[in-house]
Amino acid sequence: MTPSSPMLTDLYELTMAAAYFDSGVKGRGTFSLFTRKDPHRGFYVAAGIYKALDFLESFHFEDQDIAYLSELKLFSNDFLDFLADLRFSGVVWALAEGTPFFADEPIMEVTAPIIESQLVETYLINAVGLATMIATKGARCVHVAQGRGLIDFSLRRTQGADAGMTVARSTYLSGFDATSNVLAGQRYGIPVSGTMAHSFVQAFPNEIDAFRAYARLFPEKTILLIDTYDTLQGARLAVEVAHEIKAKGNQLKGVRLDSGDMIDLSRQVRRILDDGGCREVQIFASGGFDEFGLAEALDQGAPIDAFGVGTKVGVSADAPYMDLVYKLVQIDERPVRKLSTGKVTLAGQKQVFRRFSAETGQMVEDIIAARGETIENAEPLLAPMMRSGRCLEAPPSLSQIRDRCRRQFKAIPDAFKALEAPARFPVRVSAQLTALQQHIRN
C-alpha cells in the first residue's frame, strides 16, 4: 500500500485547523467513522483499514505542500510552520479488515489533538469508504455464486487506476478467486487470470487458427473465447481444438461466453461440449454480471462454472456510494453529539459487541456500548490498532484477511444477505450508552 499526501483533503479541513490553531483549541478530539442506513445493503464488510493506518503513520506535509498553502494567502506563517512539523500522534480503534458490520456501528474511532483528528477526515472517509463499498458488493456476489469461481475483470472500467487497485484487493478480500489486474497481482499477491479478446480472434484468418495459436502457447491454461462470430460454431471448433490438445497430453481448460443470452447459450454449449467428449471443459461467462446477474443465471440453472465480473462490481453500480461519515463524539473528557434532524450521532468513545448463538454459531445481535463497558457472552469487535501515531503490529496478510471474511460471513444469517429488501440485523445501544445520550440531550 502506498500512503498518500495529507494534501489529499478538503480545504475546509485546513481552514478549521487554522482556526483551532489561532484560537488555542488543543483538546483531544475523538471522531467516529460509521455509515448510515442504506436500504440496499443488509450488511457491510470492513476494508481499507490498513491503508488508512498507513496514511496516518506516514502523515506529514512536504516542503512543496507548505509552499503551495502559502501561495493561497489564507494561512499565517505560524500556522504553516506548525503544519511543517506536524505528525499524527493519535490512537486508533478499528474493526479488523474482513469483519462484517452493520449501519451505525463504528468502523473506526480516532483520538488525537483536534487539529490532527480533524485533518485526516477526508482521506479516511475516501479510503475506507471505497474499499468497504466494493468488499461488500463482492461479498454479495460470492454469496450468490455458491462456490463457483469469480474473477475481477473491472480494471478497464473503474474510475481511475487507484480505484482499479482497490477493487482488485477488495473483491479478493471478499472471496473472489483472482483478478485480471496484473499490478494488483504483483502488489498484493492475488492470483491473476485472463483469456483472450475478440480482437485476438479477429486478427487471424480463421477462428480455429486463433484457437490453435493460443493453445499452442498456453496448453495448460487455455480458455477459448467462442462468441466472436457464431457462438455455437465456436463451441464446435473448441471441441476440435480440445481433442488436438488432448492428443498432446494436455487438456482444454474452458470456453468463455461474453455476449448474447448467457443462460440459453450456456445450455447449448454444454451439450456441444458433452456430446463432443469434452465434459471436463468448463464454461466461463463474462459481460455485465454482478450479484443480480449471477442470481438470475444460476436460478435458471445455467451450467456456468465461473464468471468474469467487471463493470457493475467495479463501480458498485446498484449502490455507487456509501453514506460514510466521520463525526466528533468526544473532546477531551466531554462527550458530544450532533442532534440535526435525521443525522443524530452517538456521543462518547465506543465499543461494539457481537453475540453468537451457542447452538448454530450464527450472529444473533450487536450492541453498541461505551468503550469501557463489558457485555456478557459477547465478543468486542473494535481493537486498538495505533497508539502515539504508530501501528501496534504488522497487518495480517491479504490471505489471512480473506479467511477471516469467509469465516465471519458464514455466521451472518441468510435473511440479512438478501439482495432485495434485506432484513435488518438487530443492533441496539447499551443501557449505559443510551443514558449518556439522554444526559447530553437534557
Side-chain angles (χ1 to χ4, degrees):
M1 300 179 193
T2 303
S4 293
S5 167
M7 295 288 281
L8 188 62
T9 191
D10 294 300
L11 179 61
Y12 83 158
E13 307 290 7
L14 287 159
T15 55
M16 284 189 289
Y20 289 142
F21 180 82
D22 184 69
S23 301
V25 177
K26 299 179 180 179
R28 292 177 67 80
T30 296
F31 285 79
S32 187
L33 183 71
F34 63 95
T35 188
R36 299 190 178 105
K37 289 181 175 63
D38 179 347
H40 304 291
R41 297 290 183 261
F43 67 88
Y44 301 92
V45 174
I49 304 298
Y50 297 111
K51 185 175 183 180
L53 294 176
D54 279 352
F55 167 76
L56 295 175
E57 196 168 48
S58 66
F59 182 94
H60 73 284
F61 290 88
E62 302 282 357
D63 291 344
Q64 62 267 29
D65 301 334
I66 302 300
Y68 171 75
L69 293 175
S70 178
E71 292 171 5
L72 296 180
K73 307 300 183 184
L74 290 171
F75 307 111
S76 70
N77 289 334
D78 286 346
F79 177 64
L80 294 176
D81 289 343
F82 169 79
L83 289 184
D85 293 331
L86 186 64
R87 300 293 186 273
F88 182 77
S89 63
V91 173
V92 176
W93 287 63
L95 298 175
E97 278 202 66
T99 301
F101 68 97
F102 305 95
D104 297 325
E105 297 179 341
I107 308 166
M108 175 183 287
E109 288 200 331
V110 177
T111 303
I114 187 68
I115 290 178
E116 297 174 26
S117 53
Q118 186 77 70
L119 281 174
V120 301
E121 173 182 10
T122 300
Y123 185 87
L124 297 186
I125 292 175
N126 184 288
V128 175
L130 176 61
T132 296
M133 180 178 73
I134 299 300
T136 303
K137 180 81 168 173
R140 285 160 60 89
C141 292
V142 171
H143 175 61
V144 171
Q146 298 177 9
R148 293 168 181 83
L150 295 177
I151 303 168
D152 160 42
F153 275 9
S154 68
L155 178 59
R156 61 188 60 194
R157 299 284 175 77
T158 55
Q159 283 102 338
D162 289 344
M165 296 297 288
T166 296
V167 170
R169 184 180 184 278
S170 293
T171 52
Y172 186 68
L173 179 161
S174 68
F176 276 41
D177 299 283
T179 180
S180 66
N181 184 338
V182 178
L183 180 58
Q186 178 189 37
R187 182 170 296 174
Y188 303 131
I190 302 171
V192 292
S193 179
T195 58
M196 60 177 65
H198 296 106
S199 56
F200 179 82
V201 177
Q202 293 171 306
F204 287 80
N206 299 294
E207 189 172 24
I208 197 167
D209 293 335
F211 290 175
R212 285 169 173 159
Y214 199 89
R216 183 167 58 250
L217 189 60
F218 306 107
E220 297 178 356
K221 297 184 177 181
T222 299
I223 298 174
L224 301 175
L225 180 60
I226 61 174
D227 70 338
T228 304
Y229 305 117
D230 179 296
T231 301
L232 301 185
Q233 177 61 15
R236 297 183 189 101
L237 295 177
V239 168
E240 188 174 339
V241 172
H243 288 297
E244 294 172 0
I245 294 174
K246 196 169 187 178
K248 296 178 181 179
N250 292 302
Q251 180 177 303
L252 179 64
K253 185 174 181 180
V255 297
R256 178 162 71 97
L257 307 175
D258 192 54
S259 60
D261 184 338
M262 299 285 185
I263 297 168
D264 182 58
L265 285 173
S266 64
R267 291 170 178 156
Q268 294 188 67
V269 168
R270 185 72 268 165
R271 283 196 294 271
I272 290 171
L273 293 173
D274 291 351
D275 291 347
C278 297
R279 293 182 179 275
E280 73 284 355
V281 175
Q282 294 186 320
I283 296 176
F284 293 76
S286 57
F289 283 105
D290 64 358
E291 65 267 46
F292 301 102
L294 294 171
E296 181 183 6
L298 299 178
D299 286 348
Q300 295 190 41
I304 299 172
D305 301 289
F307 295 84
V309 183
T311 304
K312 291 183 179 179
V313 170
V315 302
S316 189
D318 73 304
Y321 70 93
M322 282 184 68
D323 194 6
L324 196 67
V325 293
Y326 181 84
K327 298 301 180 183
L328 184 67
V329 297
Q330 186 163 308
I331 185 77
D332 286 332
E333 302 304 316
R334 178 170 63 91
V336 297
R337 68 184 306 208
K338 182 178 175 180
L339 297 175
S340 307
T341 302
K343 296 184 176 181
V344 176
T345 59
L346 289 172
Q349 297 178 343
K350 291 173 286 297
Q351 178 58 275
V352 180
F353 291 90
R354 178 162 292 164
R355 282 202 171 113
F356 297 84
S357 166
E359 292 75 27
T360 66
Q362 296 279 282
M363 298 178 189
V364 173
E365 69 167 345
D366 282 3
I367 305 103
I368 305 175
R371 177 80 58 83
E373 278 194 77
T374 299
I375 304 292
E376 291 185 4
N377 303 315
E379 297 180 7
L381 301 184
L382 295 172
M385 292 195 174
M386 177 173 278
R387 187 175 294 118
S388 300
R390 291 291 175 264
C391 292
L392 297 179
E393 58 184 35
S397 69
L398 184 54
S399 293
Q400 289 172 319
I401 297 170
R402 188 170 184 264
D403 288 343
R404 176 191 296 119
C405 181
R406 177 183 53 79
R407 291 193 308 271
Q408 297 199 14
F409 188 75
K410 286 182 179 179
I412 303 176
D414 284 347
F416 309 107
K417 300 175 184 174
L419 299 188
E420 303 282 0
R424 288 296 162 194
F425 186 79
V427 177
R428 65 179 175 88
V429 180
S430 72
Q432 180 177 325
L433 191 59
T434 298
L436 175 64
Q437 310 313 305
Q438 190 61 47
H439 173 74
I440 295 170
R441 179 182 288 273
N442 292 339

